[in-house]
Amino acid sequence: MKYRTASDLKDLLLEDFESVVNKIPQEKLDVYLYLHREFQNTYVPDDSLYQFIFRYFFRLDNPSLTNEFETSYFKLMEEQRKEERPNIVQITKSLYEIKNHKGNPTMQFPLAASMLHAINPEFPTYDSDIVKAFDFSSTYHLSGFEKKMKRYMKQYQHAYRTYTELIDDEAMEPMFKHFDERFRDYNLPKVKKLDLMTAQLGNIIQ
């Protein structure tokens, strides 16, 4: 299964990099920085404001998910605080075991990725825009947790490796420079800048 490579993404990103960067909503930076910063200073399961903003930003408000799911989600997030290397497979498995309103388990890998990304931007996001940018294939037709998880992990690892390669590529520097010029007062790690740019690319790809 062929996904877009670092070379493919670089060509697409640099084709009109000023337009890609200029279309990134400033709100995305403001809310991300809030969530990442406040995580260091709060106890997530008891912080209703933090939870409200997180649910909005990372699209946790899903009608099929239960209150039990949301409660467990933020407890899991708090538990990751002490983990040196969080295990996204175990997190996804824990969430999978919480039944939805119809009494069925649901695969919530994108939300597991969002949890870890809010804690540490070294973990890529995995939303619909990122999926589009990389041209990742759907897991919808796959049956069972193991098959779906295997596909997700292959794609997630591909995203991580691609980001590492692009960050080290000098050809990307004009795009990072333009990002810094547009968002002068934001102190973001390079990997977060790339994640924002990649998501915006996915948003505008036809």
Side-chain angles (χ1 to χ4, degrees):
M1 207 161 292
K2 191 177 185 307
Y3 308 129
R4 287 195 178 100
T5 64
S7 178
D8 296 331
L9 275 181
K10 179 173 71 172
D11 290 345
L12 288 170
L13 285 165
L14 293 178
E15 184 177 348
D16 191 7
F17 67 83
E18 290 187 358
S19 177
V20 172
V21 171
N22 291 344
K23 288 178 180 174
I24 296 172
Q26 185 173 328
E27 177 190 79
K28 273 192 151 187
L29 283 74
D30 291 331
V31 178
Y32 170 77
L33 281 172
Y34 170 85
L35 290 171
H36 181 66
R37 182 181 64 247
E38 288 303 308
F39 177 77
Q40 316 304 322
N41 305 310
T42 191
Y43 180 71
V44 177
D46 290 346
D47 191 334
S48 58
L49 177 59
Y50 187 93
Q51 293 181 27
F52 176 82
I53 295 172
F54 189 102
R55 290 199 311 268
Y56 161 75
F57 188 65
F58 285 114
R59 303 171 190 170
L60 182 55
D61 282 329
N62 185 323
S64 73
L65 300 178
T66 62
N67 290 335
E68 180 191 357
F69 180 93
E70 288 190 9
T71 300
S72 299
Y73 184 92
F74 290 115
K75 283 182 179 178
L76 273 171
M77 188 174 185
E78 182 64 36
E79 289 168 7
Q80 296 313 304
R81 187 186 299 278
K82 57 183 180 289
E83 297 295 331
E84 186 176 342
R85 296 182 63 84
N87 188 323
I88 196 169
V89 176
Q90 289 302 319
I91 293 169
T92 308
K93 179 69 172 174
S94 295
L95 297 174
Y96 181 79
E97 292 171 354
I98 304 168
K99 304 293 194 296
N100 64 10
H101 282 298
K102 295 182 178 179
N104 300 318
T106 59
M107 195 73 177
Q108 299 295 336
F109 179 84
L111 290 178
S114 295
M115 177 194 297
L116 296 187
H117 181 78
I119 297 170
N120 183 347
E122 293 293 331
F123 293 94
T125 54
Y126 188 99
D127 62 13
S128 57
D129 289 334
I130 295 294
V131 167
K132 215 166 151 191
F134 278 98
D135 197 21
F136 285 149
S137 54
S138 171
T139 65
Y140 184 77
H141 65 289
L142 298 175
S143 60
F145 177 86
E146 298 300 333
K147 288 183 179 179
K148 290 178 183 290
M149 196 72 233
K150 184 177 179 181
R151 174 73 58 83
Y152 275 128
M153 286 307 298
K154 183 178 180 181
Q155 294 176 353
Y156 199 61
Q157 289 164 354
H158 176 79
Y160 182 87
R161 288 192 298 267
T162 300
Y163 281 5
T164 301
E165 189 173 338
L166 288 174
I167 286 170
D168 292 337
D169 192 332
E170 289 185 4
M172 291 292 295
E173 285 308 308
M175 190 166 192
F176 285 115
K177 183 179 178 182
H178 184 64
F179 185 101
D180 291 338
E181 288 171 349
R182 183 177 175 218
F183 300 108
R184 291 183 182 276
D185 298 325
Y186 290 84
N187 184 21
L188 291 173
K190 211 167 186 180
V191 65
K192 180 57 187 175
K193 297 172 189 176
L194 181 57
D195 190 73
L196 285 163
M197 295 188 294
T198 303
Q200 189 58 42
L201 174 68
N203 184 263
I204 61 180
I205 285 177
Q206 298 299 318

